[in-house]
Amino acid sequence: MKTLTPLSLIIAISFSLVSFNKYEDKKTKENKNLNDTYKTVNNNESDANSEISNDFFKRYSDLKKYKSDVMSLYKTRSLGTIWFDEGEISEFGSVLYEKAKKTNDLIIPYQKEIDQLFSSSSDKSTLSQTDADMLLSSLYVVYTKKSNADKKRIAYDAMLKDFLNYSTLEETSTVADADVKVEYDQYYKLQDVLKKYKRLEKSSKWKPIVPAEVPYKELRPDAVSSTIAQVRTRLYLYGDLKSDSKSDVYDRELMDAVMKYKVRNGFKPNYILAEEHINEMNIPLENKVATLKLNMERCRAIAAQIAASDEYVLVNVPSYEMVYVKNGKVQLTSPVFVGAPLTKTTIFNGEIDRIVFSPYWTVPQSIVQNELKSKIAADPNYLAEKNMEIVNGQVRQKPGPDNSLGLVKFMFPNSEDIYMHDTPSKTLFDFEKRTFSHGCINLKMAKELAVAMLQDYPEWTPAKIDKAMAGKTENSFKLTKKVPIYITYFTSLVNENGEIGFFQDVYEKDAELTNTETSVTVN
């Protein structure tokens, strides 16, 4: 019996080794086949990229000397993906363009073509996305060579990773552009807040709010809770309270501070402290610092245009707000609602060239197919009940108080067919998150904006505007002086009172750029 056990073990081990060797031979063959497949795919992809690059540098021959540097940026990327986001030039592309233009003695090859990429006029570029992306990559290489002229060897791909990171970009640009004035004063307002938040971050005074009750229960005036004392301290640190009494009673003093906090951050103005408000207060300071830096760079990207405008309209998507500025002063602010996540409002600049009173609404074909077609088929009277008609094969809604565009619209030609207009759905402005439209901007105070913008046109008295808005036929007025409009995406802004507001990243643009969490959930 003693000799049988070792013998059986030897046989078992030998059998296992033979089986394992056969398995390894099989895996080796499989891996070889996989490697051959990968090599074939990579070679095909490499051939395709080579064909694209050869064609590009043949057509843009002045850039041939930068070919190896440019193509090194695409080693781990597909062509056409560095400077674009959802088919539009990203903020990084805009920042690169602005930085290159501000660099002394920098000769930009094919500047006319690059300028057209950022033009809001009718001569908008018709370049393919691949050509546009490679032009911007070439600009990046030219800009980097100029900015790092004293360095013998430049690792473009490594430097690009730093460039495509807002925190690094902000830190380096602060030094490089210390003597370059940014004309848009919002930049410096954000900078002052950034200094305050950095000091607060270093002081260790900021601590997460830990709710007294789990699950969390809403807090209202006169409530008594240790959560109240923590909220009081937080609002004192943020500047909404002048002093911190440490009281755990939700008193009048705290009510005023909560209202101030809510208004500046775009929350519904009431005294309820809900879970979402505690979550926002618990966003780490390092995240808020990153948000401030990111939005300072956004200021740089549009600074030149705003500085040159004595009159403009600014619509900020995350804060759901429109601001009309004239002669450097805010004339009007209005709540807005914007495109839903599936039909996002495009971020771009344009020029308002006409105001249309009592407008028709020509229903987009996509809405006709997806929403109206079945309703019209089910109810023969549907069009008449909705004050609609079919003209030249298109469905349109007649002017009137129930028209989806309201009583007035503001037109600024653009390829996305986006415009700004009144709306009969006034109750939607009561919501905090206002992403309801198919992409257009819906104004709460549309009439007030029309009155403000037409002050330089004596014939357009308030009475005439009222009459035009109540008309049964469309009345279009062409402005003799076009008004710039900036549709922006600022997730932090300083208001006229010097108060900072942080807004929801409704289209997740910040999250994509920083790749960090922007909230802390109350457990």
Side-chain angles (χ1 to χ4, degrees), residues 56 58-63 84 89 93 97 101 107-121 123-139:
F56 173 83
K58 182 178 181 180
R59 287 182 286 110
Y60 297 94
S61 57
D62 291 352
L63 297 175
F84 278 77
I89 295 177
Y97 177 64
K101 287 200 303 180
I107 298 174
I108 301 177
Y110 300 99
Q111 181 165 357
K112 181 180 178 181
E113 287 81 356
I114 293 174
D115 285 343
Q116 286 183 345
L117 292 174
F118 298 89
S119 172
S120 60
S121 62
D123 63 342
K124 191 77 173 176
S125 175
T126 56
L127 289 176
S128 68
Q129 182 173 305
T130 300
D131 275 11
D133 199 80
M134 292 184 71
L135 274 175
L136 290 175
S137 291
S138 301
L139 176 62

Side-chain angles (χ1 to χ4, degrees), residues 360-373:
Y360 284 100
W361 177 44
T362 301
V363 185
Q365 198 60 32
S366 60
I367 298 178
V368 173
Q369 290 294 328
N370 299 331
E371 300 177 30
L372 297 188
K373 195 172 181 180

Side-chain angles (χ1 to χ4, degrees), residues 250-318:
Y250 194 167
D251 55 16
R252 178 78 252 178
E253 182 184 42
L254 186 60
M255 287 168 63
D256 292 340
V258 167
M259 183 63 75
K260 187 177 180 181
Y261 161 81
K262 284 195 168 187
V263 169
R264 69 180 173 85
N265 287 294
F267 290 112
K268 196 170 183 177
N270 59 36
Y271 299 119
I272 299 171
L273 280 171
E275 184 177 28
E276 64 177 317
H277 307 125
I278 304 301
N279 287 340
E280 200 285 331
M281 291 181 192
N282 272 344
I283 292 175
L285 282 175
E286 62 181 314
N287 291 43
K288 298 218 171 204
V289 165
T291 298
L292 290 165
K293 290 178 178 179
L294 187 154
N295 286 282
M296 286 171 66
E297 287 303 326
R298 286 174 172 152
C299 287
R300 287 176 179 271
I302 66 170
Q305 298 100 309
I306 283 195
S309 305
D310 61 348
E311 179 184 18
Y312 62 87
V313 170
L314 188 147
V315 176
N316 187 46
V317 169

Side-chain angles (χ1 to χ4, degrees), residues 84 237 433 467 478-479:
F84 278 77
L237 292 174
K433 186 174 182 180
K467 184 177 180 180
K478 188 173 183 179
L479 300 174

Side-chain angles (χ1 to χ4, degrees), residues 44-176:
N44 289 341
E45 185 176 336
S46 177
D47 290 343
N49 286 350
S50 178
E51 184 178 342
I52 292 171
S53 65
N54 288 338
D55 176 63
F56 173 83
F57 288 105
K58 182 178 181 180
R59 287 182 286 110
Y60 297 94
S61 57
D62 291 352
L63 297 175
K64 278 186 177 179
K65 57 185 175 182
Y66 305 116
K67 181 177 179 179
S68 61
D69 294 320
V70 170
M71 294 313 296
S72 72
L73 304 179
Y74 292 98
K75 284 180 181 177
T76 57
R77 302 176 180 85
S78 298
L79 286 178
T81 58
I82 296 179
W83 307 102
F84 278 77
D85 177 22
E86 296 184 1
E88 298 290 331
I89 295 177
S90 67
E91 288 169 284
F92 293 110
S94 298
V95 170
L96 169 64
Y97 177 64
E98 291 297 327
K99 283 181 172 290
K101 287 200 303 180
K102 292 176 182 176
T103 303
N104 293 332
D105 303 323
L106 178 65
I107 298 174
I108 301 177
Y110 300 99
Q111 181 165 357
K112 181 180 178 181
E113 287 81 356
I114 293 174
D115 285 343
Q116 286 183 345
L117 292 174
F118 298 89
S119 172
S120 60
S121 62
S122 57
D123 63 342
K124 191 77 173 176
S125 175
T126 56
L127 289 176
S128 68
Q129 182 173 305
T130 300
D131 275 11
D133 199 80
M134 292 184 71
L135 274 175
L136 290 175
S137 291
S138 301
L139 176 62
Y140 171 78
V141 170
V142 173
Y143 165 75
T144 306
K145 281 182 177 289
K146 178 70 175 179
S147 303
N148 299 274
D150 57 327
K151 296 182 181 180
K152 293 182 179 179
R153 180 77 177 94
I154 303 173
Y156 292 101
D157 194 58
M159 293 183 71
L160 183 66
K161 290 177 183 177
D162 285 339
F163 191 91
L164 300 184
N165 178 291
Y166 265 117
S167 58
T168 304
L169 180 59
E170 194 278 334
E171 295 293 345
T172 55
S173 63
T174 300
V175 177

Side-chain angles (χ1 to χ4, degrees), residues 53 172 189 205 213 336 349 351 367 410 430 435 455 495:
S53 65
T172 55
K189 291 177 181 178
K205 293 179 180 179
E213 294 181 311
V336 303
N349 305 335
E351 290 182 317
I367 298 178
F410 304 82
D430 294 334
T435 52
Q455 284 183 343
N495 65 21

Side-chain angles (χ1 to χ4, degrees), residues 183-216:
E183 296 294 339
Y184 188 32
D185 63 352
Q186 182 66 216
Y187 176 90
Y188 297 101
K189 291 177 181 178
L190 289 171
Q191 190 177 61
D192 288 341
V193 176
L194 176 63
K195 292 174 183 176
K196 173 186 173 181
Y197 274 66
K198 279 187 171 181
R199 287 195 300 268
L200 184 58
E201 187 179 19
K202 291 177 182 178
S203 71
S204 301
K205 293 179 180 179
W206 188 97
K207 293 179 177 62
I209 295 172
V210 181
E213 294 181 311
V214 178
Y216 181 85

